[in-house]
Amino acid sequence: MQLKVPASFRADETMQLRVPPEGIPGSEDEPDISGQSSISDSSSSEDRRKGRKAPRPPVRSRFAAAFVSRLAPLVAVLAPHVARLTAFLAPYARRMRPHYPRPGRTGWRRWIPSWRQSLGGFLTTLGLSSLFLVVAYAATDVPDNLNTYATQQDNVYFWADGTPMARTGWVQRQAMPLKDIPEDVRWAVLAAENESFYSDPGISFKGISRALFRTLGQGDTQGGSTITQQYVKNVYLNQSQTVRRKFTEAMIALKLDNQMSKDDILEGYLNTSWFGRGTYGIQRAAQAYYGKDVSELNASEAAFLAALLKGAGLYDPTLSSANRARAVERWTWTLDRMVLIGKLSKAERASYAKFPEPLKSNPLYDTGEQSDYLVELASQYAKKTAKIDDKDFDLGGYQIYTTFEKDREAQLTDAVTKARDKALKDDPKNAKTAHYGAASVAADGRILAVHGGPDHRTQGYNESNATTVPAGSAFMPFVYAAGLEHGVHKTRDGAATPVTGESVYDGDDGVPVTTPEGPYWDRSGKKVAAGNDDDKSYGQISLHRALALSVNTPFMQLGMDTGLDKVRATAEAAGLLPSSLGAQVPMMTQGSSTPSAIRMASGYSTFAAAGKHTEPYSVRQITHNGTKVPMVLPKPVRAVGADTAEEVTSALTDSFRTAHPGAAPDGVQVAGKAGTTQDDKAAWYVGTHKAVSTAVVVYRIDLAKSLEPLPLKGIDGTADDSVPYGIWSQAMSPLD
């Protein structure tokens, strides 16, 4: 299709072309002016005939069209004003525009901008910088999540006397509330690090400029950080020395200073700062360098600790003489600064003339050897009784005050170590698989000492808490207590007949065990009979004397007469775990159960406590960052009658005197009994003195192969020189 232009048409005129809706006649086979073919047009026509609507433009296009249409009137109104403003500013803009080289100047002056240009450049730079800082401040958020090291603390375990025993965790930190940190300590840190802390906006512009200059010029950052900035670096950022990290630190510090109180920031800083010797926070630093809590520090000691914030590796005086010289200089300067800012009197400053020498080493030592076994027991008990989940416990901050007595633990460990060393010397082959479990439990349930093994770092298996070897004849007191408590039944439906210590039983070796219906047959069709040590027979013997002489056969029959269910219930009530008691068969009375040394000591302590049993516990108090954690200590529960407990204790006292005459002065009550097994798999000694029961067991297990007990083969000594009794007597010494 050709478009004919009239001859009268001029180039500067506007011509409009209107196309009728039905199209240009004769153009069916030619493209229309929009560039669409007639096929498309016919398709649209077909759509219209079928009642379909043409597709609508995209939402973005419609929105833009509507926006432009609404903006057009405003543009029309403002356009004249903008034009006048542009015309007014044009001369000034031309004058401010740099002309290089400058006309009318010669030499180097041709390249120097005028004062107007310099002022304009300065104001522009200032404006853009201010705008950038405002945007950066608005865009910076205080992170919700703290660094791992900012929240993780160590758990500290204490002996019964309150002295530190061990700590666990990757970091040594204990958060302390600011109210528990003396003002002298706070101001020693502020004087050394940031005396204007309570008046500054959270950052130091002078310091930041200095730090940025050094970073750009020498590649590191130096100084310039307020305490707020240092706190931000400790808990939100990393320690990388870059301009970007420094800038982010400043932005967060400004915002944090508006969100948190100064006291909260200072508290956080004092609890997260690194002081060397593996410690974070002022509390652990006070303990590591002076062996005391932060509440006990004076201004002089605090001034030294403040020096460590500059770098413990440079100021710990125990590392080198150069360090000591730096530490003394910084300590002196800090105390003088405290006087200058009015936080320390001149008289008090004069009293601090001598440098406060710190301890040679950190008393908060890592666990190892026996302390690991103690920590293991205490941590398990703490989590269970205080309902602390593993995640929270691993984050740390707990102080666990145990029941373990340091002197008693050392004495027990020394006794076992001597026995172990002697066995390795005399019989190295069998001694390699020998184990020595031992525990001391007070009548009120406190676990006072345990021996878990040679070294927890090489053997995590706890020998004092293992339930793998039979109790043997050491189980007899529980059978005796059941008989005294419940009586015996000679007929199935008859009434119970009371039992006393004078009740007589057959003490001969190999006496068949009977029931009201007759002999007791095992599953193989054999009569079950009891046996005594060395196949010795004693004839008719009282139960009291039978226990004193450790005669087995009377107690096997006593258990059947009393009822194995009652024997089991009595043993559980006295402190033995149900899971360790095994099958309810006649051999139960011969000590087929497998209690741990801790549980055996706890069971015997029930008799010492006049028949009341208190569940053994290893933790007396738990705090979290100084705040008490709710926990309920076990209460005594009546297990057997007081008369029963007294009679059992009397028989055990005679047992001790008979086996070891002269071992204790007359009039001193010491009760105890040896325990042996028919298959020579374990040897025990359990005894009580001054309301403390100690159980010792010797056995052999090859841990590299299985947990099956092996024959002792003489590792336990002889009847006259029993290894378990030797350990027990040394651990309980003196018996007075």
Side-chain angles (χ1 to χ4, degrees), residues 101 122 217 280 356 452 645 681 716 734:
F122 172 76
Y280 288 85
K681 296 291 181 67
D716 59 326

Side-chain angles (χ1 to χ4, degrees), residues 583-604:
Q584 199 165 290
V585 296
M587 286 305 295
M588 175 190 288
T589 61
Q590 298 298 290
S592 61
S593 59
T594 57
S596 66
I598 293 175
R599 285 291 169 172
M600 280 296 280
S602 175
Y604 273 56

Side-chain angles (χ1 to χ4, degrees), residues 41-305:
D41 185 66
S42 63
S43 176
S44 299
S45 299
E46 183 67 21
D47 288 342
R48 285 194 296 270
R49 284 194 300 271
K50 293 182 179 180
R52 297 177 183 174
K53 294 182 179 180
R56 300 181 65 186
V59 175
R60 183 183 301 175
S61 301
R62 287 187 280 119
F63 177 79
F67 179 76
V68 170
S69 65
R70 291 179 178 275
L71 193 63
L74 179 63
V75 172
V77 173
L78 294 178
H81 300 287
V82 173
R84 284 194 295 271
L85 180 63
T86 302
F88 174 76
L89 294 177
Y92 297 97
R94 284 193 295 270
R95 294 176 63 184
M96 294 293 292
R97 185 181 62 188
H99 296 281
Y100 290 100
R102 290 177 63 192
R105 299 289 190 276
T106 60
W108 59 270
R109 292 180 177 82
R110 300 170 60 201
W111 302 98
I112 302 300
S114 66
W115 69 269
R116 295 185 182 87
Q117 294 168 346
S118 299
L119 178 62
F122 172 76
L123 293 176
T124 300
T125 301
L126 181 63
L128 291 176
S129 299
S130 300
L131 179 63
F132 172 74
L133 291 176
V134 169
V135 172
Y137 178 84
T140 300
D141 292 323
V142 177
D144 294 328
N145 298 322
L146 305 182
N147 289 337
T148 301
Y149 280 106
T151 55
Q152 187 177 6
Q153 304 178 58
D154 57 354
N155 292 324
V156 182
Y157 298 78
F158 298 88
W159 293 104
D161 63 1
T163 57
M165 180 182 78
R167 72 172 186 86
T168 59
W170 291 104
V171 298
Q172 291 188 36
R173 178 190 289 118
Q174 178 190 344
M176 294 293 289
L178 193 66
K179 64 182 179 61
D180 293 337
I181 302 175
E183 285 198 16
D184 280 348
V185 177
R186 302 183 217 170
W187 279 105
V189 173
L190 293 175
E193 292 292 304
N194 184 192
E195 65 184 56
S196 63
F197 168 72
Y198 279 101
S199 59
D200 65 40
I203 63 173
S204 167
F205 295 101
K206 179 180 178 181
I208 290 176
S209 301
R210 183 172 64 250
L212 290 176
F213 174 77
R214 289 190 60 87
T215 301
L216 295 172
Q218 301 183 16
D220 64 349
T221 55
Q222 286 279 334
S225 294
T226 63
I227 278 180
T228 306
Q229 289 175 260
Q230 293 180 57
Y231 173 64
V232 167
K233 179 177 66 175
N234 289 344
V235 302
Y236 296 118
L237 306 175
N238 54 44
Q239 304 297 316
S240 62
Q241 302 292 314
T242 62
V243 174
R244 180 178 180 181
R245 199 273 296 158
K246 197 74 179 176
F247 180 78
T248 304
E249 171 192 299
M251 290 296 102
I252 295 177
L254 279 171
K255 187 158 280 190
L256 197 69
D257 194 73
N258 290 325
Q259 295 181 2
M260 291 178 64
S261 69
K262 287 289 188 178
D263 281 349
D264 287 343
I265 293 174
L266 180 60
E267 178 182 305
Y269 172 73
L270 292 174
N271 284 320
T272 57
S273 295
W274 167 254
F275 284 88
R277 293 193 180 184
T279 62
Y280 288 85
I282 193 72
Q283 167 72 347
R284 282 290 174 267
Q287 294 170 340
Y289 288 93
Y290 291 108
K292 60 176 71 172
D293 288 340
V294 65
S295 60
E296 301 171 0
L297 292 177
N298 58 36
S300 178
E301 294 163 337
F304 163 70
L305 294 181

Side-chain angles (χ1 to χ4, degrees), residues 300-359:
S300 178
E301 294 163 337
F304 163 70
L305 294 181
L308 296 171
L309 293 168
K310 286 296 181 184
L314 295 174
Y315 290 91
D316 186 344
T318 63
L319 299 180
S320 68
S321 57
N323 273 22
R324 189 182 187 283
R326 279 189 290 266
V328 172
E329 181 182 3
R330 183 75 176 175
W331 166 78
T332 303
W333 178 84
T334 301
L335 289 176
D336 291 342
R337 291 293 300 173
M338 292 181 70
V339 174
L340 187 63
I341 63 177
K343 298 302 178 181
L344 189 68
S345 68
K346 292 183 178 180
E348 191 175 5
R349 170 66 184 94
S351 68
Y352 298 134
K354 185 178 180 181
F355 178 69
E357 298 288 350
L359 300 174

Side-chain angles (χ1 to χ4, degrees), residues 171 476 506 570:
V171 298
M476 285 183 188
D506 192 342
T570 301

Side-chain angles (χ1 to χ4, degrees), residues 423-440:
L424 287 170
K425 180 180 178 181
D426 296 342
D427 188 359
K429 181 179 179 181
N430 290 317
K432 286 182 180 179
T433 55
H435 299 274
Y436 304 79
S440 295

